[in-house]
Amino acid sequence: IISAPHVKTESKEPNGGFMNGAEGFQDLGLNAKALLLDNQVGTGKFSVLANVGFSTPITNYLSDYLPYSLGFGANEFSLRAIAQYKMGNGLYAQGAAAHLWRGQTRVERDYYYANGSYYTDMMDVPDAWNFHGAIGIWLFENSLKFEANYMRLHCTSGDDIRKYNAGQPTNKVEVSQVGFSTQYYFKNVKGFGLLAYYSQIINGRNMGEFTTIGGGVTYQFKI
């Protein structure tokens, strides 16, 4: 899976208009997913998959601009395990757990404080655990999918935002998010699909409350 999200952040009520949002392409994502187990269990199928991922910034966006930055501006390597049970009528439940190894990001200052003073323009972005759960259904011969999901991200290290300093990429972020997504595959145009998604932050640490709305086009092909 290859991805290159175009992101737009908006600045409205939180700062009274003193900070502008940002817009542009974020990170290039490369993922390889493998099906490890696919067995018939009762009236449905139980599947186990593994995903290896890597992402890197593709534009020179400012990462030290939280909460309006397009991303963390650092390389990320991830390993993810996914388990799913899908019934014959299209209903399914899915759970996943991943560990994210993150690198450093370059910022436009040569000093910062993160539980200590650092005289450098490089910031360490904390590693994190990511957990995901979903329930959904496939309809019309697996051409239309509806899904409700929950996501939890927990950094393994980092500092907290202080009164005299804005948020920065070194912060220990903990966030819970609920969302909904839908995806449609065209029967007459093989390989092409459309997707749309919505999510809302419901709880967090060093993370603002925000809403995400997105959409995209997918194309699947055989090698």
Side-chain angles (χ1 to χ4, degrees):
I1 303 171
I2 303 174
S3 61
H6 186 273
V7 179
K8 180 179 181 180
T9 61
E10 294 187 355
S11 171
K12 292 183 179 179
E13 296 180 2
N15 61 70
F18 290 101
M19 296 174 66
N20 292 322
E23 182 177 3
F25 283 96
Q26 187 196 58
D27 300 338
L28 174 66
L30 305 173
N31 288 269
K33 184 183 290 186
L35 180 63
L36 305 180
L37 180 68
D38 190 28
N39 290 343
Q40 188 75 28
V41 178
T43 59
K45 279 193 174 183
F46 177 72
S47 305
V48 176
L49 303 96
N51 188 94
V52 178
F54 175 78
S55 66
T56 187
I58 53 175
T59 58
N60 190 28
Y61 61 81
L62 181 61
S63 60
D64 189 20
Y65 190 54
L66 296 175
Y68 302 111
S69 61
L70 299 182
F72 288 111
N75 294 335
E76 180 182 281
F77 176 76
S78 64
L79 288 177
R80 185 180 307 271
I82 307 165
Q84 176 179 281
Y85 183 73
K86 182 180 179 183
M87 301 174 65
N89 59 6
L91 284 169
Y92 69 88
Q94 185 181 94
H99 190 72
L100 315 176
W101 290 269
R102 293 160 165 170
Q104 292 184 318
T105 183
R106 188 180 298 277
V107 299
E108 294 185 351
R109 48 177 164 155
D110 55 11
Y111 169 81
Y112 64 91
Y113 186 89
N115 294 331
S117 295
Y118 292 84
Y119 293 89
T120 176
D121 63 351
M122 301 299 294
M123 288 185 177
D124 291 323
V125 181
D127 297 341
W129 284 98
N130 180 229
F131 304 97
H132 180 271
I135 56 172
I137 187 170
W138 284 96
L139 302 171
F140 306 115
E141 298 179 352
N142 290 327
S143 62
L144 178 63
K145 179 182 75 171
F146 293 104
E147 179 182 289
N149 52 67
Y150 169 83
M151 186 277 295
R152 172 74 177 171
L153 185 137
H154 177 88
C155 286
T156 59
S157 62
D159 62 326
D160 287 307
I161 297 174
R162 293 166 298 281
K163 293 182 179 180
Y164 51 86
N165 193 20
Q168 58 190 29
T170 63
N171 292 153
K172 181 181 178 68
V173 174
E174 298 175 0
V175 59
S176 297
Q177 174 181 288
V178 294
F180 175 81
S181 68
T182 182
Q183 191 163 6
Y184 178 74
Y185 292 101
F186 294 97
K187 291 185 177 181
N188 298 329
V189 185
K190 295 296 184 181
F192 277 99
L194 299 176
L195 61 91
Y197 52 89
Y198 167 90
S199 64
Q200 176 68 51
I201 299 294
I202 57 173
N203 188 33
R205 171 180 176 180
N206 298 314
M207 171 66 73
E209 182 179 359
F210 64 86
T211 300
T212 300
I213 301 173
V217 178
T218 62
Y219 179 69
Q220 297 186 10
F221 56 92
K222 292 183 178 180
I223 298 179

